[in-house]
Amino acid sequence: MAEINEQQILEALSGVKDPETGEDIVSAGMVAGVQLKDGHVAFAIEVDPTRGAQLEPLRKEAEQIVHALPGVLTATVVLTAERAGSQAKTAPPSPPAQTPSGQPGDQPGGAAKAAQMIPGCKSIIAVASGKGGVGKSTTATNLALGLAASGKKVGLMDADIYGPSMPRMMGITGQPVSDDGKTLRPMANYGIKVMSIGFLVDEDTPMIWRGPMVQSALEQMMRDVNWGELDVLVVDMPPGTGDAQLTMAQRVPLTGAVIVSTPQDIALLDARKGLNMFRKVDVPVFGIIENMSYFTCPHCGERSEIFAHGGAKAEAERLGCDFLGEIPLDIEIRTTSDGGHPITVSQPDGAHAKSYKFIAETVWNKIEQTLTARESDAPRIVIQ
Ligand code: ADP
C-alpha cells in the first residue's frame, strides 16, 4: 500500500471545521507538527486554552478522519495551547514564591501550594537529571520505595512524559479506574501509589507533547487523581533542562529537588544545568546522587571506577549543595528495575537497598527541615 503523505492528511483535515469560526482547521493554521512514521500519524491542533474542553469533539473528529485514510494504522491528535504558550513567554508566569524571608505579602510556599493542588499531600519532590539515560527513573523508584520502607505514605508520579517507564519499573499493568467519574484512582504496587501517563497511552503510540501540553498532563495527574493522604509525592521529571522542565519546576509546588547524575554527566556539566534550573525558580536542591558511580564485577567482586568516580561529591561541594550518596553500576539494579521488581523491595536487605534507604532518610530529613522552616516563616495569626 502506498505510504500516506502529509499533503493527503492536510487535504482530509481541510474538511474539519472549527465550530466557532466555521473556518477549516487547516486554513486557520491550527494543524501543527504533523509526524508520520510507518503508518502512524500524529499531530497537534493548536487552540486557545480556554476552549480546550469544548474542542474535544473537534479533536476526535480530526483523529477519526485521519485514521480512516488508507495506509493509516494509528492517528494520535492532541490539543495544544502552544499559541498561548508562546504568548506566555513574553509574560512569564511568576515563579512559585518561597518564603525564606517571610515578608508580608509573600505568597504561600511550596508546602501550602502542594496541599492546595493535592489535598492531603504534605510534600512534593522532583527527581531530575541534566539529560536522559542516567538512571533518573530507577533512582526515583528506589527512592520512593526507600521512603515507603521507613513507613511514609508515598506517591510516585511519572512526569517523564517523553518516555514513561513507571508502569514497567513498578511492575504495574492495566489502567486506572474512576470511582466517581471525576477523579482517577491511582494504581499501586509495593505499598506506594503510582500514576503515569504510560497507564493511559500505549507505549508505542507516537505522541507530540509540547511544553503547554506537558504542563496540562502533569497538572491533571496531580489534580484529577485521588492521591489520598501522602507524606511525599515523588515526581520523576522529564530529563533535561529545557523549557518544558523549567515550566514544570516553576508550576509544580515543589518542596525540593534531587539531581541524579552519572560521573560523565558531571564532567559534561549537565548536572550543573539541572541545579541552576531549580535555583532559578527558587526550589531548594536537596542534593546530588551519583548513579553508575563505579562498577562491581559480578564474578570477582572487584570494584572498577570506569569513569572518574567521586566527581559528583566534588561538584556538589563546588556548587554548594549536598552530596546524597552514590549507587554503583550493577547488573542487578538494571534487571530488577527493568523487570518490575525494584531492588529496594526485591532484595530489601542487600547493600543497594540499604544505600537507597539511606538516601531516602537523608531526603526525608531535608523535607522535614524545609517544611518546618516554611512553617516558622509563615505569617501567624495571633489571638490575644
Ligand atoms: P533515565 O530515567 O535517566 O532515562 P533509567 O532509570 O530509565 O534512566 O535507566 C536507564 C537504564 O539504565 C535502565 O535500563 C536502567 O535499568 C539502567 N540503570 C539505571 N541505574 C542503574 C544502575 N545503577 N546500575 C545498572 N543499571 C542501571
Coordinates of all heavy atoms in Angstrom, one line a residue, residues 55-148:
L55 N -13.4 21.7 22.8 CA -13.0 21.3 21.4 C -12.6 19.8 21.4 O -12.1 19.4 20.3 CB -11.8 22.2 21.0 CG -12.2 23.6 20.7 CD1 -11.0 24.4 20.2 CD2 -13.3 23.6 19.6
E56 N -12.9 19.1 22.4 CA -12.7 17.6 22.4 C -13.3 17.0 21.2 O -12.7 16.1 20.5 CB -13.1 17.0 23.7 CG -13.0 15.5 23.8 CD -11.6 14.9 23.5 OE1 -10.6 15.6 23.6 OE2 -11.6 13.7 23.1
P57 N -14.6 17.3 20.9 CA -15.2 16.7 19.7 C -14.5 17.0 18.4 O -14.4 16.1 17.5 CB -16.6 17.3 19.6 CG -16.9 17.8 21.0 CD -15.6 18.2 21.6
L58 N -13.9 18.2 18.3 CA -13.1 18.6 17.1 C -11.9 17.7 17.0 O -11.6 17.1 15.9 CB -12.7 20.0 17.2 CG -11.8 20.6 16.1 CD1 -12.7 21.1 15.0 CD2 -11.0 21.7 16.6
R59 N -11.2 17.5 18.1 CA -10.0 16.6 18.2 C -10.4 15.2 17.7 O -9.7 14.6 16.9 CB -9.5 16.6 19.6 CG -8.1 15.9 19.7 CD -7.8 15.5 21.2 NE -8.7 14.5 21.6 CZ -8.6 13.2 21.3 NH1 -7.6 12.8 20.5 NH2 -9.5 12.3 21.7
K60 N -11.5 14.7 18.3 CA -11.9 13.4 17.9 C -12.2 13.2 16.4 O -11.8 12.3 15.8 CB -13.2 13.0 18.7 CG -12.9 11.8 19.6 CD -14.2 11.3 20.2 CE -13.8 10.3 21.3 NZ -14.4 10.5 22.5
E61 N -12.9 14.2 15.9 CA -13.3 14.2 14.5 C -12.1 14.1 13.6 O -12.0 13.3 12.7 CB -14.2 15.5 14.2 CG -14.7 15.4 12.8 CD -15.4 16.8 12.4 OE1 -15.6 17.6 13.3 OE2 -15.6 17.0 11.2
A62 N -11.1 15.0 14.0 CA -9.9 15.1 13.2 C -9.2 13.7 13.3 O -8.7 13.2 12.2 CB -8.9 16.2 13.7
E63 N -9.2 13.1 14.4 CA -8.5 11.8 14.6 C -9.2 10.7 13.8 O -8.5 10.0 13.1 CB -8.5 11.5 16.1 CG -7.5 10.5 16.6 CD -7.4 10.4 18.1 OE1 -8.3 9.9 18.7 OE2 -6.4 10.9 18.6
Q64 N -10.5 10.7 13.8 CA -11.2 9.7 13.1 C -11.0 9.8 11.6 O -10.8 8.8 10.9 CB -12.7 9.8 13.4 CG -13.0 9.1 14.8 CD -14.4 9.5 15.3 OE1 -15.1 10.3 14.8 NE2 -14.7 8.9 16.5
I65 N -11.1 11.1 11.1 CA -10.9 11.3 9.7 C -9.6 10.8 9.2 O -9.5 10.1 8.2 CB -11.2 12.8 9.3 CG1 -12.7 13.1 9.4 CG2 -10.5 13.2 8.0 CD1 -13.1 14.4 9.0
V66 N -8.5 11.1 10.0 CA -7.2 10.7 9.5 C -7.0 9.2 9.7 O -6.5 8.5 8.8 CB -6.1 11.5 10.3 CG1 -4.7 10.9 10.1 CG2 -6.1 13.0 10.0
H67 N -7.6 8.7 10.7 CA -7.5 7.2 11.0 C -8.1 6.4 9.8 O -7.7 5.3 9.5 CB -8.2 6.9 12.3 CG -7.8 5.5 12.8 ND1 -8.7 4.7 13.5 CD2 -6.7 4.7 12.6 CE1 -8.2 3.5 13.7 NE2 -7.0 3.5 13.2
A68 N -9.2 7.0 9.3 CA -9.9 6.3 8.2 C -9.2 6.3 6.8 O -9.6 5.6 5.9 CB -11.3 6.9 8.0
L69 N -8.1 7.2 6.7 CA -7.4 7.2 5.4 C -6.7 5.9 5.2 O -6.2 5.3 6.1 CB -6.4 8.4 5.5 CG -7.0 9.8 5.5 CD1 -5.9 10.8 5.7 CD2 -7.8 10.1 4.2
P70 N -6.6 5.6 3.9 CA -5.9 4.3 3.6 C -4.4 4.5 3.9 O -3.8 5.5 3.7 CB -6.1 4.2 2.0 CG -6.6 5.5 1.5 CD -7.3 6.2 2.7
G71 N -3.9 3.5 4.5 CA -2.4 3.5 4.9 C -2.2 4.0 6.3 O -1.0 4.1 6.7
V72 N -3.2 4.4 7.0 CA -3.0 4.9 8.3 C -3.4 3.9 9.3 O -4.5 3.3 9.3 CB -3.9 6.2 8.6 CG1 -3.7 6.6 10.0 CG2 -3.5 7.3 7.7
L73 N -2.4 3.5 10.2 CA -2.6 2.5 11.2 C -3.1 3.1 12.5 O -4.1 2.6 13.1 CB -1.3 1.7 11.5 CG -0.7 0.9 10.3 CD1 0.6 0.4 10.7 CD2 -1.7 -0.2 9.9
T74 N -2.5 4.1 12.9 CA -3.0 4.8 14.1 C -2.9 6.3 13.9 O -2.1 6.8 13.1 CB -2.1 4.6 15.4 OG1 -0.8 5.1 15.1 CG2 -2.0 3.1 15.7
A75 N -3.8 7.0 14.5 CA -3.8 8.5 14.5 C -3.9 9.0 15.9 O -4.8 8.6 16.6 CB -5.0 9.0 13.6
T76 N -3.0 9.9 16.2 CA -3.0 10.5 17.6 C -3.0 12.0 17.4 O -2.1 12.6 16.8 CB -1.7 10.1 18.3 OG1 -1.6 8.7 18.3 CG2 -1.8 10.5 19.8
V77 N -4.0 12.6 17.9 CA -4.2 14.0 17.8 C -4.3 14.6 19.2 O -5.0 14.1 20.1 CB -5.5 14.4 17.0 CG1 -5.6 15.9 16.8 CG2 -5.5 13.7 15.7
V78 N -3.5 15.6 19.5 CA -3.6 16.3 20.8 C -4.0 17.8 20.6 O -3.7 18.4 19.5 CB -2.3 16.2 21.6 CG1 -2.0 14.8 21.9 CG2 -1.1 16.8 20.8
L79 N -4.7 18.3 21.5 CA -5.0 19.7 21.5 C -3.8 20.4 22.3 O -3.4 19.9 23.3 CB -6.3 20.0 22.2 CG -7.6 19.5 21.6 CD1 -8.7 19.8 22.6 CD2 -7.8 20.0 20.3
T80 N -3.2 21.4 21.7 CA -2.2 22.1 22.5 C -2.5 23.6 22.6 O -3.2 24.2 21.7 CB -0.8 22.0 21.9 OG1 -0.5 23.1 21.1 CG2 -0.5 20.7 21.1
A81 N -2.0 24.2 23.6 CA -2.2 25.6 23.8 C -0.9 26.3 23.5 O -0.5 27.3 24.1 CB -2.6 25.8 25.3
E82 N -0.3 25.8 22.4 CA 1.0 26.3 22.0 C 1.0 27.8 21.8 O 1.9 28.5 22.2 CB 1.5 25.6 20.8 CG 2.9 26.0 20.3 CD 4.0 25.6 21.2 OE1 3.7 24.9 22.2 OE2 5.1 26.0 20.9
R83 N -0.1 28.3 21.2 CA -0.1 29.7 20.9 C -0.1 30.6 22.1 O 0.6 31.5 22.3 CB -1.3 30.1 20.1 CG -1.3 29.6 18.7 CD -2.6 29.6 18.1 NE -2.6 29.5 16.7 CZ -3.6 29.7 15.9 NH1 -4.7 30.2 16.5 NH2 -3.5 29.5 14.6
A84 N -0.9 30.1 23.1 CA -1.0 30.8 24.3 C 0.3 30.7 25.0 O 0.8 31.6 25.7 CB -2.1 30.3 25.2
G85 N 1.0 29.5 24.8 CA 2.2 29.2 25.5 C 3.3 30.2 25.0 O 4.1 30.7 25.8
S86 N 3.3 30.5 23.6 CA 4.3 31.4 23.2 C 4.0 32.8 23.6 O 5.0 33.6 23.8 CB 4.5 31.2 21.6 OG 3.3 31.1 21.0
Q87 N 2.8 33.1 23.7 CA 2.5 34.5 24.2 C 3.0 34.6 25.7 O 3.5 35.5 26.1 CB 0.9 34.7 24.3 CG 0.4 35.1 22.9 CD -1.1 34.8 22.9 OE1 -1.8 34.7 24.0 NE2 -1.7 34.8 21.7
A88 N 2.8 33.4 26.4 CA 3.1 33.4 27.8 C 4.6 33.7 28.0 O 5.0 34.2 29.0 CB 2.8 32.1 28.4
K89 N 5.4 33.3 26.9 CA 6.8 33.5 27.0 C 7.2 35.0 27.2 O 8.1 35.4 27.9 CB 7.5 33.0 25.8 CG 7.9 31.6 25.9 CD 8.8 31.1 24.8 CE 8.9 29.6 24.9 NZ 8.8 29.0 23.6
T90 N 6.4 35.9 26.6 CA 6.7 37.3 26.7 C 6.3 37.8 28.1 O 6.8 38.8 28.6 CB 6.0 38.1 25.6 OG1 4.6 37.7 25.6 CG2 6.6 37.9 24.3
A91 N 5.3 37.1 28.7 CA 4.9 37.5 30.1 C 4.9 36.2 30.9 O 3.9 35.7 31.2 CB 3.5 38.1 30.0
P92 N 6.1 35.8 31.3 CA 6.1 34.5 32.0 C 5.4 34.5 33.3 O 5.4 35.6 34.0 CB 7.6 34.3 32.3 CG 8.3 35.7 32.1 CD 7.4 36.5 31.3
P93 N 4.8 33.4 33.7 CA 4.1 33.4 35.0 C 5.1 33.6 36.1 O 6.3 33.2 36.0 CB 3.5 31.9 35.0 CG 4.3 31.2 34.0 CD 4.8 32.1 33.0
S94 N 4.7 34.2 37.2 CA 5.7 34.4 38.2 C 6.1 33.1 38.9 O 5.3 32.2 39.0 CB 5.1 35.4 39.3 OG 3.8 34.9 39.7
P95 N 7.4 33.0 39.3 CA 7.8 31.8 39.9 C 7.1 31.5 41.2 O 6.6 32.4 41.8 CB 9.3 32.0 40.1 CG 9.5 33.5 40.0 CD 8.4 34.0 39.2
P96 N 7.1 30.2 41.6 CA 6.5 29.9 42.9 C 7.2 30.6 44.0 O 8.5 30.6 44.0 CB 6.6 28.4 43.0 CG 7.8 28.0 42.1 CD 7.8 29.0 41.0
A97 N 6.5 31.3 44.8 CA 7.2 32.0 45.8 C 7.7 31.1 47.0 O 6.9 30.3 47.5 CB 6.3 33.1 46.4
Q98 N 8.9 31.2 47.3 CA 9.4 30.6 48.5 C 9.4 31.7 49.6 O 9.4 32.9 49.2 CB 10.9 30.1 48.4 CG 11.0 29.2 47.2 CD 10.6 27.8 47.5 OE1 11.0 27.2 48.5 NE2 9.6 27.3 46.8
T99 N 9.3 31.4 50.8 CA 9.2 32.5 51.7 C 10.4 32.5 52.8 O 10.1 32.4 54.0 CB 7.9 32.4 52.5 OG1 7.8 31.1 53.0 CG2 6.7 32.7 51.6
P100 N 11.6 32.5 52.3 CA 12.7 32.4 53.2 C 12.6 33.7 54.1 O 13.0 33.6 55.3 CB 13.9 32.4 52.4 CG 13.5 32.9 51.0 CD 12.1 32.6 50.9
S101 N 12.2 34.8 53.6 CA 12.2 36.0 54.3 C 10.9 36.1 55.2 O 10.9 36.8 56.2 CB 12.3 37.2 53.4 OG 11.2 37.2 52.6
G102 N 9.9 35.5 54.7 CA 8.6 35.6 55.5 C 8.1 37.0 55.5 O 7.3 37.4 56.4
Q103 N 8.4 37.8 54.4 CA 7.9 39.1 54.4 C 6.4 39.2 54.2 O 5.9 38.3 53.5 CB 8.6 39.9 53.2 CG 10.1 40.1 53.3 CD 10.4 40.9 54.5 OE1 9.8 41.9 54.8 NE2 11.4 40.4 55.3
P104 N 5.8 40.1 54.7 CA 4.3 40.3 54.5 C 4.1 40.4 53.0 O 4.9 41.0 52.3 CB 3.9 41.5 55.2 CG 5.1 41.9 56.1 CD 6.3 41.2 55.6
G105 N 3.1 39.8 52.5 CA 2.8 39.9 51.1 C 3.4 38.7 50.3 O 3.1 38.5 49.1
D106 N 4.3 37.9 50.9 CA 4.8 36.8 50.2 C 3.7 35.8 50.0 O 2.8 35.7 50.8 CB 5.8 36.0 51.1 CG 7.2 36.6 51.0 OD1 7.4 37.5 50.1 OD2 8.1 36.2 51.7
Q107 N 3.8 35.1 48.8 CA 2.8 34.1 48.5 C 3.1 32.8 49.4 O 4.2 32.7 49.8 CB 2.8 33.7 47.1 CG 2.4 34.8 46.2 CD 2.7 34.5 44.8 OE1 2.6 33.4 44.4 NE2 3.0 35.5 44.0
P108 N 2.1 32.0 49.5 CA 2.4 30.8 50.3 C 3.5 29.9 49.6 O 3.6 29.9 48.4 CB 1.0 30.0 50.3 CG 0.2 30.6 49.3 CD 0.7 32.0 49.1
G109 N 4.3 29.2 50.4 CA 5.4 28.5 49.9 C 4.9 27.2 49.3 O 3.7 26.9 49.2
G110 N 5.9 26.4 48.8 CA 5.6 25.1 48.1 C 4.7 24.2 48.9 O 3.8 23.6 48.3
A111 N 4.9 24.1 50.2 CA 4.1 23.1 51.0 C 2.7 23.5 51.0 O 1.8 22.6 50.8 CB 4.7 23.1 52.4
A112 N 2.4 24.8 51.2 CA 1.0 25.2 51.2 C 0.4 25.0 49.8 O -0.8 24.5 49.7 CB 0.9 26.7 51.6
K113 N 1.1 25.2 48.8 CA 0.6 25.1 47.4 C 0.4 23.6 47.1 O -0.5 23.2 46.4 CB 1.6 25.6 46.4 CG 1.5 27.1 46.3 CD 2.0 27.5 45.0 CE 2.3 29.0 44.9 NZ 3.1 29.3 43.7
A114 N 1.3 22.7 47.7 CA 1.2 21.3 47.5 C -0.2 20.8 48.0 O -0.9 20.1 47.4 CB 2.3 20.5 48.2
A115 N -0.5 21.3 49.2 CA -1.8 20.9 49.8 C -2.9 21.5 49.0 O -4.0 20.8 48.9 CB -1.8 21.4 51.2
Q116 N -2.7 22.7 48.4 CA -3.8 23.2 47.6 C -4.1 22.4 46.3 O -5.2 22.1 46.0 CB -3.4 24.6 47.1 CG -3.9 25.8 47.9 CD -3.2 27.0 47.4 OE1 -2.8 27.2 46.3 NE2 -3.0 27.9 48.3
M117 N -3.0 21.9 45.7 CA -3.1 21.2 44.5 C -3.6 19.8 44.8 O -4.4 19.2 44.0 CB -1.8 21.2 43.8 CG -1.9 21.1 42.3 SD -0.3 21.6 41.6 CE -0.8 22.0 39.9
I118 N -3.0 19.2 45.8 CA -3.3 17.8 46.2 C -3.7 17.8 47.6 O -2.8 17.7 48.5 CB -2.2 16.8 45.9 CG1 -1.6 17.0 44.5 CG2 -2.6 15.4 46.1 CD1 -0.4 16.1 44.3
P119 N -4.9 17.9 48.0 CA -5.3 18.0 49.4 C -4.8 16.7 50.1 O -5.0 15.6 49.5 CB -6.8 18.1 49.4 CG -7.2 18.4 48.0 CD -6.1 18.0 47.1
G120 N -4.2 16.8 51.2 CA -3.7 15.5 51.9 C -2.3 15.2 51.6 O -1.7 14.3 52.2
C121 N -1.6 16.0 50.7 CA -0.2 15.7 50.3 C 0.7 16.7 51.0 O 0.5 17.9 50.8 CB 0.0 15.8 48.8 SG 1.7 15.6 48.3
K122 N 1.6 16.2 51.8 CA 2.4 17.1 52.6 C 3.6 17.7 51.8 O 3.9 18.8 52.1 CB 3.0 16.4 53.8 CG 1.9 16.1 54.9 CD 2.6 15.5 56.1 CE 1.6 14.9 57.1 NZ 2.0 13.7 57.7
S123 N 4.1 16.9 51.0 CA 5.3 17.5 50.3 C 5.5 16.8 48.9 O 5.0 15.7 48.6 CB 6.6 17.2 51.1 OG 6.8 15.8 51.2
I124 N 6.1 17.5 48.0 CA 6.3 17.0 46.6 C 7.8 17.2 46.3 O 8.3 18.3 46.5 CB 5.5 17.8 45.6 CG1 4.0 17.8 46.0 CG2 5.7 17.2 44.2 CD1 3.1 18.5 45.0
I125 N 8.5 16.2 45.9 CA 9.9 16.4 45.5 C 10.1 15.9 44.1 O 9.4 15.0 43.6 CB 10.9 15.6 46.4 CG1 10.6 14.1 46.5 CG2 10.9 16.2 47.8 CD1 11.8 13.3 47.0
A126 N 11.0 16.6 43.4 CA 11.3 16.3 42.0 C 12.6 15.5 41.9 O 13.5 15.8 42.6 CB 11.4 17.6 41.2
V127 N 12.6 14.5 41.1 CA 13.9 13.8 40.8 C 14.2 14.1 39.3 O 13.4 13.9 38.4 CB 13.7 12.3 41.0 CG1 15.0 11.6 40.6 CG2 13.3 11.9 42.4
A128 N 15.3 14.8 39.2 CA 15.6 15.4 37.8 C 17.0 15.0 37.4 O 17.8 14.5 38.2 CB 15.5 16.9 37.9
S129 N 17.3 15.2 36.1 CA 18.6 15.0 35.6 C 18.9 15.9 34.5 O 18.0 16.4 33.8 CB 18.8 13.5 35.1 OG 17.9 13.3 34.0
G130 N 20.2 16.2 34.2 CA 20.5 17.1 33.1 C 20.3 16.5 31.8 O 20.0 17.2 30.8
K131 N 20.3 15.2 31.7 CA 20.0 14.5 30.4 C 19.4 13.1 30.7 O 19.4 12.7 31.8 CB 21.2 14.5 29.5 CG 22.3 13.6 30.1 CD 23.4 13.4 29.1 CE 24.5 12.7 29.4 NZ 25.2 11.8 29.9
G132 N 19.0 12.5 29.6 CA 18.3 11.2 29.7 C 19.3 10.0 29.9 O 20.5 10.2 29.6
G133 N 18.8 8.9 30.4 CA 19.7 7.7 30.4 C 20.6 7.6 31.6 O 21.5 6.7 31.6
V134 N 20.5 8.5 32.6 CA 21.4 8.5 33.7 C 20.9 7.7 34.9 O 21.6 7.5 35.9 CB 21.8 9.9 34.2 CG1 22.4 10.8 33.1 CG2 20.5 10.6 34.8
G135 N 19.7 7.1 34.7 CA 19.1 6.3 35.8 C 18.2 7.1 36.7 O 17.9 6.7 37.8
K136 N 17.6 8.2 36.2 CA 16.8 9.0 37.0 C 15.5 8.3 37.4 O 15.2 8.3 38.6 CB 16.4 10.3 36.1 CG 15.3 11.2 36.7 CD 15.0 12.3 35.7 CE 14.6 11.8 34.4 NZ 13.5 10.8 34.3
S137 N 14.9 7.5 36.5 CA 13.6 6.8 36.9 C 13.9 5.7 37.8 O 13.2 5.5 38.8 CB 13.0 6.3 35.6 OG 12.7 7.3 34.7
T138 N 15.0 5.0 37.6 CA 15.4 3.9 38.5 C 15.6 4.5 39.9 O 15.2 3.9 40.9 CB 16.8 3.3 38.0 OG1 16.6 2.9 36.7 CG2 17.2 2.1 38.9
T139 N 16.3 5.6 40.0 CA 16.6 6.3 41.3 C 15.3 6.8 41.9 O 15.0 6.6 43.1 CB 17.6 7.5 41.1 OG1 18.7 7.0 40.4 CG2 18.0 8.0 42.4
A140 N 14.4 7.4 41.1 CA 13.1 7.9 41.6 C 12.3 6.7 42.3 O 11.8 6.8 43.4 CB 12.3 8.6 40.5
T141 N 12.3 5.6 41.5 CA 11.5 4.5 42.0 C 12.1 3.9 43.3 O 11.4 3.7 44.3 CB 11.6 3.3 40.9 OG1 11.2 3.9 39.7 CG2 10.7 2.1 41.3
N142 N 13.4 3.7 43.3 CA 14.0 3.1 44.6 C 14.0 4.1 45.7 O 13.9 3.7 46.9 CB 15.4 2.7 44.3 CG 15.4 1.3 43.5 OD1 15.0 0.3 44.1 ND2 15.8 1.3 42.2
L143 N 14.1 5.4 45.4 CA 14.0 6.4 46.4 C 12.6 6.4 47.1 O 12.4 6.4 48.3 CB 14.3 7.8 45.8 CG 14.2 9.0 46.7 CD1 15.2 8.9 47.9 CD2 14.5 10.3 45.9
A144 N 11.6 6.3 46.2 CA 10.2 6.3 46.7 C 10.0 5.0 47.5 O 9.3 5.1 48.6 CB 9.2 6.3 45.5
L145 N 10.5 3.9 47.1 CA 10.3 2.7 47.9 C 11.1 2.7 49.2 O 10.7 2.2 50.2 CB 10.8 1.5 47.0 CG 9.8 1.2 45.8 CD1 10.4 0.2 44.8 CD2 8.5 0.7 46.3
G146 N 12.3 3.4 49.1 CA 13.1 3.6 50.3 C 12.3 4.4 51.4 O 12.3 4.2 52.6
L147 N 11.6 5.4 50.9 CA 10.8 6.3 51.8 C 9.6 5.5 52.4 O 9.3 5.6 53.5 CB 10.2 7.5 51.0 CG 11.3 8.6 50.7 CD1 10.8 9.5 49.5 CD2 11.5 9.5 51.9
A148 N 9.0 4.6 51.5 CA 7.9 3.8 52.0 C 8.4 2.8 53.0 O 7.7 2.4 53.9 CB 7.3 3.1 50.8

